[in-house]
Amino acid sequence: MSDKINSKITGTGSFAPPRILTNYDLEKMVETSNEWIITRSGIKERRIVEDGTGPSDLSLEASKIALREANLEPDQIDLILIGTVTPDYLLPSTACILQDKLKAKNAAVLDIVAACSGFIYGLSIASAFIAIGQYKNVLVIGVETLSKIVNWEDRNTCVLFGDGAGAAVVSATTEEKGILGTFLSGDGSLANLLHIQLGGAKVPLTKENIGLKQHYISMQGNEVFKSAVRAMEGAAKHIIQKVGLSPEEIDLLIPHQANIRIIEALAKRLKVPMDRVYVNIDRYGNTSAASVPIALDEARKKGVIKEGSNTVLVAFGAGFTWGSAVIKW
Ligand code: UT7
């Protein structure tokens, strides 16, 4: 026990839409092969939402599970933070829509646009608000319906992404455990390596430019790959050192699930053996902000995370943004 207010995760939940799109399905849609996708990315299948289902719907399912586990009622939530680049609407935020669906009537509401790092940005903001005593219970979500913003004719991107949601309840505690530290960073000078050019306020979508198909994700994959490995290595090492852990003391590494080759390269550089790295990219593909919280929830539910163990979360995404966190359970 201490006088300092710490933050700990008291419940997690995740939800992926039931519809599965396999690599074999994709072979019929673009010039690709199951073998190429597996060897280059590690992905076998991904989940895709039905039309009419929004990120707020996926978030609602994941949040209900997390709240149940945390033993909290929705009106006990002080703040809802949603990391997403695929909001239900441009206005208002998806956090507002979820607040209403969840009946979390006492919660402040905020979306975080930090792409694949959105959930870790959310954890960091949640623990900062808790540390200053402003909030006690924060619901942090990472959710995406990337299937709505990929060009299904572009094999460079459409084989990689998927839909889903993960949620965590972060609560104040005086115990000497929980979120031991977080680290956030970014580099906007590399924005054009992974972006959507059209459809924002600077270049709105028009009848004339819609045919350019630049309102979908465009990515220079191999450049992003190199930056992802470098930035996640730096972010993980920084936070591990800051909280005073050695690589041997990391019981589980949960990296953003963008590519199995990125994950393996990262694990090697961090000297963490692959049997201590959580991988589910084969089943979901890259779900951007949802990838870390879905993996975290699965790892908890499978009993991979034990009382007292140390988990390192690390992510990298468009922006570029990156971040890391260490959690002691
Ligand atoms: O979540 C945010 C962060 N995102 C990431 O971290 C993603 C990072 N990037 C990657 O994961 C990888 O770069 C990719 C999986 C996107 C691509 O793998 P790569 O080994 O970097 O391949 P490449 O882009 O260098 O392409 C190699 C070849 C090219 O053909 P040529 O020029 O060698 O003839 C591509 O046209 O593979 C071709 N190719 C494909 N072939 C079959 C690209 N996409 C496909 C495809 N199926 N789907």
Side-chain angles (χ1 to χ4, degrees):
M1 295 285 188
S2 78
D3 292 340
K4 196 170 150 261
I5 311 176
N6 295 318
S7 301
K8 72 172 186 180
I9 292 178
T10 51
T12 57
S14 60
F15 182 79
R19 187 175 149 217
I20 294 173
L21 186 74
T22 65
N23 292 348
Y24 297 107
D25 296 326
L26 281 161
E27 284 181 351
K28 295 178 204 136
M29 296 161 66
V30 284
E31 203 183 320
T32 192
S33 66
N34 175 52
E35 202 222 328
W36 190 96
I37 302 171
I38 290 183
T39 52
R40 294 294 179 132
S41 72
I43 302 166
K44 292 183 181 156
E45 59 186 43
R46 67 288 291 142
R47 303 297 186 90
I48 305 291
V49 285
E50 299 298 337
D51 288 345
T53 300
S56 65
D57 302 306
L58 305 185
S59 300
L60 181 64
E61 298 307 320
S63 300
K64 282 196 225 161
I65 301 166
L67 281 170
R68 211 164 35 235
E69 210 175 281
N71 211 8
L72 283 185
E73 295 300 323
D75 63 4
Q76 292 175 280
I77 293 294
D78 305 310
L79 172 66
I80 297 174
L81 295 171
I82 298 193
T84 188
V85 293
T86 50
D88 276 28
Y89 307 105
L90 285 179
L91 191 75
S93 70
T94 305
C96 284
I97 311 284
L98 179 68
Q99 186 221 37
D100 180 46
K101 287 187 173 166
L102 200 56
K103 310 235 177 311
K105 58 183 193 306
N106 297 316
V109 278
L110 177 68
D111 279 10
I112 302 165
V113 186
C116 312
S117 317
F119 179 75
I120 292 178
Y121 266 68
L123 280 188
S124 188
I125 295 168
S127 47
F129 270 122
I130 287 170
I132 60 168
Q134 185 157 341
Y135 297 126
K136 281 199 171 66
N137 300 308
V138 183
L139 178 61
V140 183
I141 294 160
V143 60
E144 304 289 2
T145 55
L146 294 167
S147 64
K148 301 291 182 195
I149 59 163
V150 295
N151 178 355
W152 288 102
E153 292 170 3
D154 176 13
R155 70 175 185 173
N156 291 303
T157 51
C158 76
V159 303
L160 301 173
F161 298 108
D163 302 337
V169 175
V170 182
S171 295
T173 179
T174 48
E175 292 169 86
E176 300 278 1
K177 61 181 190 179
I179 300 173
L180 300 186
T182 62
F183 168 75
L184 304 177
S185 194
D187 183 356
S189 73
L190 299 170
N192 62 358
L193 294 178
L194 175 49
H195 66 159
I196 297 177
Q197 272 176 291
L198 290 184
K202 186 163 163 113
V203 194
L205 201 57
T206 62
K207 266 199 313 237
E208 287 72 36
N209 67 23
I210 195 166
L212 297 172
K213 305 221 165 162
Q214 288 172 348
H215 54 296
Y216 295 121
I217 295 180
S218 123
M219 178 168 74
Q220 289 181 40
N222 35 29
E223 289 305 315
V224 177
F225 188 111
K226 284 182 255 173
S227 296
V229 176
R230 253 195 319 266
M232 287 202 284
E233 178 192 2
K237 282 185 172 164
H238 179 94
I239 201 64
I240 291 165
Q241 198 185 16
K242 193 170 163 207
V243 304
L245 288 183
S246 62
E248 306 78 63
E249 290 172 299
I250 302 170
D251 298 298
L252 188 67
L253 174 68
I254 302 184
H256 171 48
Q257 312 280 313
N259 188 314
I260 189 65
R261 292 182 294 134
I262 294 178
I263 295 172
E264 285 168 352
L266 175 69
K268 195 167 167 201
R269 288 179 182 209
L270 295 177
K271 300 192 172 52
V272 176
M274 280 304 287
D275 62 3
R276 284 194 266 140
V277 180
Y278 196 83
V279 176
N280 64 10
I281 188 169
D282 50 324
R283 289 178 286 123
Y284 297 111
N286 179 348
T287 59
S288 184
S291 107
V292 169
I294 292 175
L296 175 64
D297 183 50
E298 282 192 353
R300 290 184 80 231
K301 303 278 148 73
K302 284 183 181 167
V304 180
I305 295 174
K306 307 224 164 25
E307 190 70 19
S309 69
N310 297 309
T311 303
V312 174
L313 312 181
V314 62
F316 173 90
F320 291 148
T321 63
W322 58 93
S324 54
V326 175
I327 303 169
K328 185 171 193 66
W329 299 91

